[in-house]
C-alpha cells in the first residue's frame, strides 16, 4: 500500500481585524474554511494558492508569508499535508466566488470563526491559532523547479 497524502494549500486573508472565510456545502452541511484547495500537477504551491484564492473569492492576491505546514488525518482516514499562507490587505473588499462549490464569503473576526460550530475541519481553527501566534516565514523557503534538477550520477 502506498502513502499518498492530499497536498493542500490554505490562506489566512486579513484586513481591518477580520479574516476572510469561504462558506461551502460539504455533504449537505454549510461549512467555513479559509480559501483553500488541492495542489494540481505541474503547479507550484504559491501558484496553487493564488489560483484557489481567485477561484473561491474572486480576488487576485499573492500570499505574503508561509505561516506553517500541518499534517492531519481526517476521520475517514484521508491523510493531508496543508501548507498555510497569509496575506495582508488594507480593506475588507467585496468578493465574487468563481467556484460553484462556494456559497459566499464572509469577513469575520478570529473569535467569530473560532466559536463557530460549522468549521470544515479542525485545521481551520488550528490555522488561526498558528497565525495569531505570529508564525511568519518568508516564501523563499519554498523552491519550485520547472524540471527535476540534474544529479551528478
Amino acid at each position: 500500500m502506498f502513502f499518498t497524502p492530499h497536498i493542500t494549500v490554505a490562506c489566512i486573508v486579513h484586513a481591518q481585524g477580520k479574516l476572510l472565510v469561504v462558506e461551502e456545502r460539504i455533504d449537505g452541511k454549510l461549512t467555513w474554511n479559509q480559501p483553500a484547495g488541492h495542489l494540481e500537477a505541474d503547479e507550484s504551491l504559491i501558484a496553487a494558492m493564488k489560483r484557489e484564492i481567485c477561484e473561491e473569492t474572486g480576488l487576485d492576491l499573492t500570499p505574503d508569508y508561509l505561516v506553517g505546514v500541518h499534517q492531519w488525518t481526517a476521520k475517514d482516514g484521508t491523510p493531508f499535508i496543508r501548507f498555510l499562507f497569509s496575506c495582508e490587505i488594507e480593506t475588507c473588499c467585496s468578493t465574487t466566488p468563481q467556484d460553484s462549490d462556494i456559497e459566499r464569503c464572509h469577513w469575520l473576526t478570529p473569535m467569530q470563526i473560532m466559536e463557530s460550530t460549522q468549521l470544515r475541519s479542525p485545521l481551520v481553527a488550528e490555522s488561526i491559532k498558528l497565525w495569531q501566534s505570529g508564525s511568519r516565514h518568508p516564501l523563499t523557503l519554498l523552491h519550485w523547479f520547472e524540471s527535476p534538477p540534474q544529479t551528478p550520477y
Side-chain angles (χ1 to χ4, degrees):
M1 181 176 1
F2 293 100
F3 175 67
T4 53
H6 292 239
I7 306 298
T8 61
V9 295
C11 193
I12 301 280
V13 179
H14 175 254
Q16 300 175 299
K18 296 187 177 181
L19 305 178
L20 184 60
V21 294
V22 298
E23 185 176 51
E24 56 190 335
R25 193 170 299 277
I26 304 296
D27 298 326
K29 179 183 173 193
L30 286 176
T31 62
W32 289 353
N33 196 6
Q34 285 94 16
H38 288 80
L39 178 68
E40 294 182 358
D42 298 322
E43 184 176 51
S44 73
L45 291 164
I46 295 169
M49 190 70 268
K50 290 178 69 167
R51 176 183 52 75
E52 289 293 346
I53 291 171
C54 184
E55 288 176 1
E56 295 192 355
T57 71
L59 301 176
D60 182 19
L61 301 175
T62 300
D64 297 316
Y65 297 100
L66 175 68
V67 175
V69 180
H70 287 105
Q71 185 173 349
W72 177 68
T73 302
K75 288 180 183 177
D76 67 0
T78 304
F80 288 89
I81 297 176
R82 187 183 205 228
F83 290 81
L84 177 64
F85 296 91
S86 69
C87 184
E88 295 283 332
I89 60 175
E90 289 188 27
T91 61
C92 298
C93 51
S94 62
T95 59
T96 53
Q98 311 296 305
D99 186 332
S100 61
D101 292 337
I102 305 301
E103 300 269 335
R104 65 190 61 81
C105 300
H106 303 279
W107 287 99
L108 302 168
T109 66
M111 183 68 75
Q112 288 173 306
I113 300 166
M114 302 281 280
E115 291 177 345
S116 174
T117 59
Q118 59 187 87
L119 302 183
R120 178 162 181 183
S121 78
L123 290 178
V124 177
E126 289 303 315
S127 294
I128 293 171
K129 289 177 191 174
L130 187 59
W131 175 80
Q132 287 177 319
S133 78
S135 178
R136 307 286 190 279
H137 306 283
L139 297 178
T140 55
L141 285 176
L142 305 171
H143 300 277
W144 164 254
F145 297 99
E146 294 281 333
S147 60
Q150 297 296 316
T151 61
Y153 305 106

